[in-house]
């Protein structure tokens, strides 16, 4: 089957999805999430990313209907913050014309840069089709998610998944149930041809437990029975999962088939004006080229379609100053929620505190993370952190990864100074 390429002057060229989505198909538009700064709408972009003109539209929608703040989530979704019920309805109506640029099915995370026709690409396509079956989809928990990780340049190890397929060498894929790659339960291995059948059988077994069941709720014996029946190549085992050859980070990234300018909004969040500025810079540099912005795990924005010298210009452009473009940027060591003043629930200004930690060099030197949360909801909690600092009405409570208290403090800096040496993270 050939796919027509549509040329629209307003959004450039793109490949349409096979069938238009019905109105209301996006649960996050119709069921936005309540946060401390109003409602939040989450949009999952097409796997190849969004044309730059569509990203500009998102910025306009955030300014017009929200509080002007956008995020790239830890799974690489776009989030528009600070909406009301009325403004969400208006946003929903205005975005209707470009819904074909977004995905609305079961959450399925995969490497968007994987080669077309590869085992991974075929697995993703098969699982995407399988998971659309209403008899299965409607029986799974709302946050049910699947990861297909080809071990390639997008590090999906920290992304939570109910069912994870991870390439494991020797033409086998490991199956991991629940949690992230490290803490999930390794069930065994299948050949690529059986990957979709195994995922389908496991999803069915989880759905049978109940409407809110997750991968962690499925017992290993039950999982093995289901997988053995569905996938003849299934074998149990616990061989080590191979390391990745390379992982995309910020900066100028050269993949086998394309080069990328990769940016990350500081602390995962940007104002619409910053996003507009970077799109202006892309338009100025790229001219008539068709450019896509592909958001991925790790809150990364990969700009696709630029030449190497264009990438260098973009990464050093003034408009890139609100983004992280170098992998030694200390802001990468901080996970922070919106905080005060963006969020009414916040007990402190997480971003100002983060900037002070950066200025004073109070950050881990071992690649670990400091987590700053304006309140106990921990909207930006990373999979792991050297210390979690949680805002309270009377100060800051510090915890380790296991929830053990590390003390109560007046200022975030005091908490970091006192707690990080014991975590072995500070120089
Ligand atoms: S964790 Fe942060 S963003 Fe989330 S509700 Fe609390 S203060 Fe607001």
């Amino acid at each position: 089957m050939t796919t027509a390429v549509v040329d629209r002057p307003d959004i450039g060229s793109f490949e349409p999805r096979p069938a238009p989505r019905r109105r209301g198909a996006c649960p996050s538009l119709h069921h936005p999430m309540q946060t401390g700064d109003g409602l939040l709408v989450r949009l999952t972009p097409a796997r190849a990313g969004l044309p730059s003109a569509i990203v500009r539209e998102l910025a306009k929608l955030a300014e017009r209907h929200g509080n002007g703040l956008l995020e790239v989530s830890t799974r690489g979704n776009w989030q528009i913050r600070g909406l009301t019920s009325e403004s969400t309805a208006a946003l929903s109506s205005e975005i209707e014309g470009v819904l074909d640029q977004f995905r609305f099915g079961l959450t399925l995370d995969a490497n968007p840069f994987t080669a077309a026709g590869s085992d991974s690409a075929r697995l993703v396509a098969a699982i995407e089709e399988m998971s659309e079956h209403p008899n299965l989809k409607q029986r799974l928990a709302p946050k049910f998610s699947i990861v297909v990780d080809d071990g390639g340049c997008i590090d999906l190890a920290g992304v939570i998944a109910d069912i994870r397929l991870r390439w494991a060498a020797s033409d086998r894929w490991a199956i991991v149930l629940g949690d992230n790659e490290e803490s999930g339960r390794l069930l065994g291995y299948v050949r690529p041809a059986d990957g979709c059948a195994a995922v389908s059988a496991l999803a069915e077994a989880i759905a049978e437990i109940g409407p809110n069941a997750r991968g962690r709720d499925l017992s290993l014996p039950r999982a093995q029975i289901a997988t053995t029946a569905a996938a003849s190549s299934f074998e149990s085992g616990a061989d080590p999962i191979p390391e990745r050859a390379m992982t995309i980070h910020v900066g100028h990234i050269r993949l086998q088939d394309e080069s990328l300018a990769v940016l990350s909004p500081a602390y995962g969040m940007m104002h619409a004006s910053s996003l507009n500025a970077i799109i202006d810079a892309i338009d100025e540099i790229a001219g008539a080229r068709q450019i896509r912005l592909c958001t991925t795990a790790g809150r990364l924005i990969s700009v696709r379609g630029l030449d190497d010298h264009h990438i260098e210009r973009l990464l050093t452009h003034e408009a890139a100053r609100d983004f992280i473009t170098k992998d030694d940027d200390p802001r990468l060591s901080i996970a922070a929620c919106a905080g005060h003043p963006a969020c009414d629930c916040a007990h402190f200004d997480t971003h100002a505190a983060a900037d002070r930690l950066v200025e004073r060099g109070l950050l881990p030197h071992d690649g670990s993370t400091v987590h700053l949360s304006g309140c106990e909801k921990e909207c930006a909690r990373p999979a792991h952190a050297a210390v979690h600092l949680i805002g309270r009405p009377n100060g800051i409570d510090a915890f380790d990864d296991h929830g053990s208290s590390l003390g109560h403090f007046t200022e975030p800096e005091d908490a970091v100074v006192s707690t990080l040496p014991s975590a072995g993270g500070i120089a």
Side-chain angles (χ1 to χ4, degrees), residues 35-37 81 337-340 343-348 350 372-380:
T35 68
D37 58 343
R81 301 191 67 105
C337 74
H340 177 79
C343 178
D344 287 344
C345 295
H347 299 298
F348 72 106
T350 49
L372 301 176
S373 185
C375 79
E376 70 285 350
K377 290 184 186 142
E378 300 188 49
C379 296

Side-chain angles (χ1 to χ4, degrees), residues 143-165:
K143 288 190 171 181
F144 194 90
S145 64
I146 299 167
V147 162
V148 176
D149 185 351
D150 62 358
C153 60
I154 296 298
D155 189 350
L156 294 165
V159 174
I160 303 294
D162 293 280
I163 305 171
R164 177 185 311 269
L165 287 182

Side-chain angles (χ1 to χ4, degrees), residues 369-405:
T369 301
V370 172
H371 172 210
L372 301 176
S373 185
C375 79
E376 70 285 350
K377 290 184 186 142
E378 300 188 49
C379 296
R381 185 183 174 95
H384 297 293
V387 62
H388 301 264
L389 305 181
I390 314 297
R392 306 287 190 213
N394 60 345
I396 308 285
D397 280 344
F399 298 94
D400 68 12
D401 252 354
H402 308 291
S404 300
S405 174

Side-chain angles (χ1 to χ4, degrees), residues 207-344:
E208 282 172 7
I209 298 172
N212 293 315
R214 307 297 300 270
R216 60 178 172 265
D217 300 319
L218 185 63
S219 72
L220 282 184
R222 175 77 189 88
Q224 281 170 344
I225 290 168
T227 315
T228 303
S232 58
S233 65
F234 175 69
E235 51 186 304
S236 55
D239 298 341
I241 289 177
E243 298 276 322
R244 276 163 223 284
M246 69 89 80
T247 300
I248 280 186
H249 226 276
V250 291
H252 188 162
I253 302 294
R254 292 179 179 85
L255 301 178
Q256 196 170 349
D257 300 323
E258 63 179 314
S259 290
L260 309 170
V262 185
L263 313 99
S264 181
Y267 316 129
M269 183 178 287
M270 72 212 100
H271 196 273
S273 57
S274 300
L275 188 55
N276 265 325
I278 204 76
I279 301 293
D280 285 345
I282 289 170
D283 287 350
E284 170 195 319
I285 291 167
R289 281 167 177 263
Q290 299 300 325
I291 302 298
R292 280 182 178 269
L293 280 76
C294 183
T295 45
T296 53
R299 303 179 187 275
L300 300 178
I301 303 174
S302 295
V303 183
R304 311 181 78 171
L306 294 174
D307 289 340
D308 284 336
H309 69 281
H310 288 152
I311 289 173
E312 291 302 326
R313 277 183 64 193
L314 180 64
L315 292 174
T316 53
H317 197 284
E318 197 193 346
R321 70 183 183 283
D322 291 339
F323 295 83
I324 296 171
T325 59
K326 293 182 179 158
D327 59 13
D328 61 354
D329 191 313
R331 292 174 294 179
L332 287 167
S333 303
I334 299 175
C337 74
H340 177 79
C343 178
D344 287 344

